[in-house]
Amino acid sequence: MNQSMNLPNDRRLPLANTAVAYAAFLIGTLCGLLQVFIRNDALTLPGWLDYYQILTAHGLLLAIVFTTFFIFAFFQAGTSKALGQFGPRVILWNWIGFWITLLGTLLIVVMVVSGQASVLYTFYAPLQAHGLFYVGLALFVIGTWVQGFALIGHYVKWRRANKGQLSPLFAFMTVATIILWVIACLGVVATVLFQFIPWAFGWTDGINVELSRSLFWYFGHPLVYFWLLPAYMAWYIVVPKLIGGKVFSDSLARLSFVLFILFSIPVGFHHQLTEPGIASFWKFLQTVLTFMVIIPSLMTAFSLFATFETRGRQLGGKGLFGWITKLPWKDVRFTSILIAMLFFIPGGAGGIINASFQMNELVHNTLWVVGHFHITVGTPVAMTFFGLTFWFIPYLTGRQFTKNLQRLAFLQIFTWSIGMLLMSTAQHMLGLLGAPRRTAYTGYAHEDALAWFEGVLSNHVTMAVGGSILFLSALLLIYIVIQLWWFAPVSDQENKMTFPMAESDVSGTPALLENWKVWIGIAFVLIALAYTIPLSEIIQHAPPGSGRFQTW
């Protein structure tokens, strides 16, 4: 215990964020376990607890709280290592941002637990939560902005002291991700501050539903890349170091992150293809822009596997695929992240289907979307975070990742993979057969339709089995985290422990890639082209506004 308390601020700060992240992870996975059993008619909740409370908590705690706190822990630890130790002001503002974010989180959780905010993590109007729920959302975002701007301040200070130099790749990617996050949050902040809070506290009579949803999805889609980009950072920078290699191309890595800023934000309408209040042209335009994001994703895949093959051949790999056997498969930190990458292949393919104008009609309100969400965020992102955890916490606490804990980590990774394969596959197939999402049960269908769900994989039982394995895997992960935090032996090589950052050659990298004014300007031009006219039409032709609905 004293070991953690005596650590410098540069390490205590990311540890605090990590602690909140894994507390949210544990509660969120428990809520997920309850969900699959309820849908399987194997569990009946007590009267004081509602399915939609659990569903809201599951989405918010895992998709928002766990990811955000862990990402900022990763940013803080890595930026401190890449650019030098934080000064007192950077430390102070990061702590202020952390406490504001935590306060927002607690407000949200209290409202959900008390049954006054069962609105799911999308909080679609006209469902109305308690006003404090929306205040909590606003505080959560403001807190992350404070932490983000503190990190950017540290980056700006480094740039001033190193004029004419490109920043380290980790710092560049951190700033790119924070820029994406801040621009994306403008939509959710606008709808929460100017629509939901006045409406929830009774200061206005109604709410423009279409506008609120459009502003949410302006934020909701780039949110996916706020989750993915830190995973990409690990893939680009940490994994090459773990295998003893180098970054394949510094300029390619930077360009891919710039392209994510440009093409991940003006695409929210592809989540609203079934909504009638948006003209087809604007849906089509944003669908086209959505497919542009495939380019930096393919660039990333090419760069990573080029790195793997180059290193494998350096180690003596022969033939077409001999390099694969030379990779460090016995290092769970590498293996977990590589499995996460492989899961992203079907996940990305499913995303193309979801964004396709006609095919989206088939899967939009079905469990297919839930399966897609889990195989993109619940596996590539989450498992990358698990792999980071296995070196990240020992780096911060100065403790050993013992052989016994490494064996448990392999067991945790494999059980998570099996559980996710079973659950997400079942969800995809159930969705294709018409099983709806956002509902506590599907028993209202006629007998012929219910017979469709009786296959081996197309079955709610299979989904529940996968969910159960996932929860057991989550418990094992929490055990490993606790051991690495407090009980594992203190490392006798504490001073030699480093944040693994692969070297990158910046000699051929254009300085233009770090001219943020250019890229932020282009991003806002694309956003203006994609949103100005349709949002104006939504506002000008708005109905009187919807009143309050509460179905629980």
Side-chain angles (χ1 to χ4, degrees):
M1 184 74 72
N2 293 333
Q3 175 76 9
S4 298
M5 293 301 293
N6 293 330
L7 293 171
N9 258 314
D10 282 31
R11 298 197 179 189
R12 285 196 291 121
L13 181 62
L15 276 173
N17 273 298
T18 306
V20 178
Y22 273 110
F25 175 79
L26 179 60
I27 301 170
T29 49
L30 174 60
C31 291
L33 178 70
L34 296 177
Q35 282 176 242
V36 293
F37 278 101
I38 294 167
R39 289 187 66 97
N40 188 36
D41 294 326
L43 177 67
T44 301
L45 292 173
W48 53 269
L49 185 62
D50 182 77
Y51 174 82
Y52 297 100
Q53 284 175 265
I54 294 172
L55 181 55
T56 302
H58 176 70
L60 287 171
L61 290 173
L62 290 183
I64 304 295
V65 179
F66 166 64
T67 55
T68 303
F69 277 94
F70 189 92
I71 287 167
F72 274 96
F74 183 46
F75 286 172
Q76 289 158 352
T79 304
S80 171
K81 193 68 179 178
L83 301 180
Q85 286 193 336
F86 295 149
R89 291 179 63 186
V90 176
I91 288 288
L92 173 63
W93 283 108
N94 267 295
W95 276 116
I96 290 173
F98 167 79
W99 288 112
I100 295 173
T101 311
L102 182 59
L103 175 60
T105 301
L106 294 175
L107 268 179
I108 293 167
V109 170
V110 167
M111 290 300 104
V112 173
V113 171
S114 64
Q116 299 186 68
S118 299
V119 291
L120 312 191
Y121 101 102
T122 50
F123 58 93
Y124 271 177
L127 289 177
Q128 187 188 84
H130 193 284
L132 290 179
F133 172 80
Y134 303 113
V135 172
L137 290 176
L139 288 173
F140 183 92
V141 173
I142 291 169
T144 63
W145 281 3
V146 173
Q147 292 183 81
F149 285 128
L151 292 175
I152 290 176
H154 189 55
Y155 163 84
V156 170
K157 182 180 178 182
W158 185 93
R159 292 269 289 175
R160 287 173 178 168
N162 297 270
K163 289 184 178 181
Q165 295 185 36
L166 288 172
S167 65
L169 187 55
F170 188 98
F172 174 91
M173 290 179 165
T174 296
V175 171
T177 308
I178 292 172
I179 288 171
L180 181 147
W181 172 249
V182 171
I183 297 175
C185 284
L186 294 175
V188 75
V189 166
T191 189
V192 166
L193 290 183
F194 301 114
Q195 287 190 282
F196 280 97
I197 288 179
W199 178 59
F201 283 111
W203 304 334
T204 57
D205 294 329
I207 188 170
N208 185 330
V209 172
E210 195 73 76
L211 179 62
S212 68
R213 293 187 183 188
S214 299
L215 289 172
F216 174 83
W217 283 117
Y218 167 93
F219 155 82
H221 187 78
L223 171 64
V224 174
Y225 292 95
F226 175 67
W227 299 325
L228 276 172
L229 290 187
Y232 280 12
M233 290 169 65
W235 300 357
Y236 271 115
I237 302 173
V238 174
V239 172
K241 183 68 174 181
L242 293 177
I243 66 175
K246 296 181 179 180
V247 175
F248 177 73
S249 170
D250 182 89
S251 56
L252 183 149
R254 292 177 195 255
L255 177 60
S256 68
F257 270 61
V258 167
L259 292 179
F260 279 119
I261 293 175
L262 300 185
F263 295 120
S264 67
I265 299 174
V267 297
F269 285 163
H270 86 246
H271 289 267
Q272 298 173 268
L273 295 180
T274 61
E275 297 202 17
I278 303 167
S280 295
F281 171 78
W282 300 109
K283 293 177 181 177
F284 172 76
L285 174 64
Q286 295 204 16
T287 298
V288 171
L289 291 173
T290 299
F291 288 121
M292 296 296 290
V293 183
I294 297 171
I295 296 172
S297 294
L298 292 177
M299 290 166 59
T300 299
F302 171 79
S303 176
L304 295 173
F305 283 93
T307 300
F308 296 154
E309 182 173 356
T310 300
R311 181 56 179 162
R313 295 197 183 283
Q314 288 175 350
L315 295 173
K318 304 295 183 182
L320 188 59
F321 298 112
W323 56 272
I324 296 176
T325 62
K326 299 298 182 179
L327 297 176
W329 296 103
K330 294 182 180 180
D331 187 343
V332 69
R333 301 169 301 172
F334 166 77
T335 304
S336 58
I337 296 177
L338 185 63
I339 294 173
M341 294 178 190
L342 296 177
F343 264 100
F344 196 57
I345 296 172
I352 295 172
I353 292 172
N354 297 344
S356 300
F357 209 96
Q358 289 80 13
M359 286 188 282
N360 184 271
E361 293 289 329
L362 177 67
V363 300
H364 183 78
N365 271 322
T366 73
L367 274 176
W368 168 282
V369 175
V370 182
H372 167 73
F373 201 73
H374 283 90
I375 208 171
T376 50
V377 180
T379 319
V381 173
M383 283 184 64
T384 297
F385 290 178
F386 301 163
L388 293 177
T389 297
F390 299 144
W391 64 260
F392 184 64
I393 293 181
Y395 163 73
L396 294 173
T397 61
R399 295 186 181 274
Q400 294 180 28
F401 188 30
T402 63
K403 290 184 178 179
N404 286 336
L405 289 178
Q406 291 179 49
R407 294 189 191 100
L408 289 178
F410 269 113
L411 179 61
Q412 190 272 322
I413 290 300
F414 288 134
T415 50
W416 190 270
S417 301
I418 292 167
M420 195 61 75
L421 275 174
L422 287 173
M423 189 179 76
S424 67
T425 302
Q427 288 170 336
H428 276 89
M429 296 187 70
L430 285 164
L432 290 176
L433 294 174
R437 58 176 172 143
R438 299 191 178 115
T439 60
Y441 60 94
T442 55
Y444 51 78
H446 57 78
E447 292 184 5
D448 289 340
L450 289 175
W452 300 344
F453 306 146
E454 293 177 357
V456 175
L457 289 176
S458 56
N459 197 309
H460 283 85
V461 174
T462 304
M463 190 169 72
V465 170
S468 302
I469 296 172
L470 285 170
F471 181 67
L472 294 175
S473 181
L475 290 179
L476 182 55
L477 178 63
I478 294 298
Y479 174 79
I480 294 170
V481 168
I482 292 172
Q483 290 293 316
L484 291 175
W485 202 305
W486 287 294
F487 300 109
V490 175
S491 174
D492 57 359
Q493 296 184 330
E494 182 180 349
N495 294 329
K496 298 180 182 179
M497 297 176 69
T498 59
F499 193 106
M501 294 183 183
E503 296 179 16
S504 62
D505 181 7
V506 300
S507 59
T509 302
L512 177 64
L513 288 175
E514 201 155 10
N515 189 332
W516 296 114
K517 293 179 181 178
V518 171
W519 305 118
I520 293 172
I522 294 174
F524 275 110
V525 168
L526 289 172
I527 292 166
L529 289 172
Y531 275 105
T532 302
I533 294 176
L535 289 185
S536 298
E537 291 176 346
I538 290 172
I539 294 170
Q540 289 174 8
H541 303 294
S546 176
R548 172 183 184 271
F549 284 83
Q550 192 175 80
T551 59
W552 58 90

